[in-house]
Amino acid sequence: MEPAPAGQKEGSSRFRASEHQHARYNPLRDDWVLVSAHRVKRPWQGQLEKPPPEDVPRWDPKNPLCPGATRANGEVNPQYEGTFVFPNDFPALQPDAPEPDDSDHPLFRAAPARGVCKVMCFHPWSDLTLPLMSLAEIRTVIDAWAELATDLGASYPWVQIFENKGAMMGCSNPHPHCQVWASSFLPNEARLEDRTQREHLSQHGVPMLLEYAEQEARRKERLVVENADWLVVVPYWATWPYQTLLLPRRHVCRLQDLRESERDSLASIMKRLLIKYDNLFEVSFPYSMGWHGAPTGPHLEEDCRHWQLHAHYYPPLLRSATVRKFMVGYEMLAQAQRDLTPEQAAERLRSLPEVHYKEGDKEM
């Protein structure tokens, strides 16, 4: 019997990331995720989710996001034909809130929080989602995002663009739309990513996510889709089963800094990714996604070279259209944990067709 390799105990098996438990470091959040690949085969006897409805009406007068519908505040939507932006009728942030009183103890601190919240409809039809929209329609959405980021970012330090897709992610209206919240402060995730990216540039001389994109483009094992300007990966440190990270190849700090050609190619790669998501379980795939870029407002005059624009996609589905991952127990009290490895998830997504399953049915 041959002796075990140096650093490996006699009788122990060689480590395989696809079979053995291990922890992976997330440099963007400065934390760790436990990968328990051996648990993939465990039987599921837990909660089953209700699949999203497939019979959403194209127009519903009771849906407050539809053209011509009356919203909760009594306002009537215009007969819009493209994107439509309006103030959130129930905003989490308002521009004129009074400041809290000074704290009498360091354990009971409060700070001012002001801002604005907007809703943006992607399309007038309720039965469409981004993967079923045309490239020109998606490009219009991207341009509207950039315009909102510019307008709100002129005065607010942080502009968070995010989409909650599907009832599983808390979306209350079956209509293609997103939200945009601008705040007078940097939220927790923004402050964390600002620190980690700043430290990486200081220590290594290159923006973290620019270097990461170059590495993933070369390694390819976690690559899902790519084009000349963008790539999508299941990040090495992914927490959610089919989580992805959308990255530009060029150093870009903010969404509004994208070139015309990069906006076109962004529309293309978004459509390709989202078609793959829907095709995975042949369902309108739920997720929360959002853009992160360099802070704005007073930070526009600062050196933000450490930032690299990126979008996070966080989908909850695990094994099927009805089985989701829950972040509970150990994940709430200790650290994030996943079963399926990022490489396995990327391979599954990568192998899926880029023709939407609904469009494929029409062609047959």
Side-chain angles (χ1 to χ4, degrees):
M1 182 176 179
E2 294 184 2
Q8 183 176 321
K9 295 180 180 179
E10 292 284 352
S12 67
S13 58
R14 185 180 299 275
F15 171 79
R16 294 184 182 86
S18 61
E19 298 179 15
H20 300 124
Q21 65 211 36
H22 59 285
R24 296 191 182 190
Y25 180 63
N26 181 346
L28 193 58
R29 301 198 75 258
D30 191 21
D31 63 10
W32 294 78
V33 56
L34 173 63
V35 182
S36 307
H38 59 284
R39 282 166 45 99
V40 172
K41 299 177 182 178
R42 70 188 178 108
W44 179 258
Q45 295 179 327
Q47 176 174 316
L48 298 180
E49 305 293 332
K50 184 179 179 180
E54 295 285 346
D55 56 348
V56 176
R58 179 154 293 182
W59 184 83
D60 182 353
K62 297 180 181 179
N63 187 330
L65 300 183
C66 284
T70 302
R71 303 203 308 274
N73 63 356
E75 293 190 19
V76 178
N77 295 335
Q79 294 291 341
Y80 65 92
E81 297 181 352
T83 58
F84 170 50
V85 179
F86 61 93
N88 193 314
D89 296 328
F90 302 98
L93 290 165
Q94 296 177 323
D96 54 358
E99 293 192 11
D101 296 331
D102 292 337
S103 172
D104 62 355
H105 193 282
L107 295 178
F108 301 93
R109 296 167 58 191
R114 298 187 179 93
V116 295
C117 298
K118 295 183 179 291
V119 176
M120 186 180 105
C121 296
F122 298 154
H123 197 281
W125 294 356
S126 293
D127 58 344
L128 283 188
T129 54
L130 282 170
L132 293 171
M133 290 167 54
S134 69
L135 289 177
E137 290 167 338
I138 298 173
R139 169 62 197 266
T140 299
V141 170
I142 293 167
D143 288 341
W145 281 343
E147 183 177 351
L148 282 167
T150 299
D151 293 347
L152 296 174
S155 54
Y156 286 102
W158 190 255
V159 180
Q160 183 60 65
I161 298 168
F162 65 98
E163 178 193 6
N164 294 327
K165 180 174 179 245
M168 197 180 295
M169 302 309 294
C171 180
S172 57
N173 293 301
H175 191 94
H177 72 286
C178 72
Q179 298 188 54
V180 183
W181 294 13
S183 61
S184 61
F185 55 90
L186 289 186
N188 294 342
E189 293 297 312
R191 288 190 292 110
L192 179 58
E193 289 192 3
D194 185 71
R195 175 178 66 80
T196 57
Q197 290 180 96
R198 188 185 300 274
E199 290 174 353
H200 187 93
L201 179 64
S202 175
Q203 295 170 10
H204 302 283
V206 60
M208 176 198 295
L209 292 181
L210 183 63
E211 181 178 17
Y212 180 66
E214 292 170 350
Q215 285 288 322
E216 289 287 31
R218 181 174 61 83
R219 296 170 186 253
K220 296 191 180 303
E221 59 188 329
R222 285 169 295 273
L223 194 64
V224 178
V225 287
E226 64 178 329
N227 61 27
D229 300 314
W230 301 87
L231 68 158
V232 176
V233 300
V234 177
Y236 176 78
W237 53 78
T239 299
W240 294 93
Y242 293 98
Q243 174 182 336
T244 55
L245 184 63
L246 171 57
L247 294 161
R249 295 183 187 272
R250 181 175 69 91
H251 186 203
V252 184
C253 291
R254 300 179 178 92
L255 190 64
Q256 51 269 45
D257 297 334
L258 293 175
R259 299 165 179 160
E260 292 292 313
S261 60
E262 290 169 331
R263 296 185 186 197
D264 286 337
S265 56
L266 174 56
S268 173
I269 204 165
M270 283 176 55
K271 184 176 177 72
R272 292 170 62 197
L273 168 65
L274 298 180
I275 286 175
K276 285 179 177 290
Y277 268 163
D278 280 10
N279 284 346
L280 180 60
F281 299 127
E282 294 197 349
V283 69
S284 185
F285 205 68
Y287 58 74
S288 282
M289 70 80 63
W291 286 98
H292 283 175
T296 50
H299 303 280
L300 289 170
E301 303 302 320
E302 298 177 359
D303 183 359
C304 292
R305 287 176 299 165
H306 54 291
W307 271 91
Q308 174 73 330
L309 175 70
H310 59 283
H312 296 283
Y313 284 84
Y314 298 126
L317 293 182
L318 174 59
R319 300 186 183 200
S320 69
T322 59
V323 177
R324 64 171 296 172
K325 176 178 176 60
F326 290 91
M327 288 288 189
V328 296
Y330 187 87
E331 286 131 326
M332 294 179 71
L333 298 167
Q335 71 179 38
Q337 182 272 336
R338 65 178 291 129
D339 298 346
L340 188 72
T341 69
E343 294 76 26
Q344 292 167 336
E347 183 178 9
R348 286 199 64 182
L349 290 173
R350 190 167 55 241
S351 66
L352 291 168
E354 295 188 8
V355 175
H356 198 278
Y357 71 93
K358 288 185 176 180
E359 299 293 333
D361 292 342
K362 293 178 182 178
E363 295 176 0
M364 295 179 63

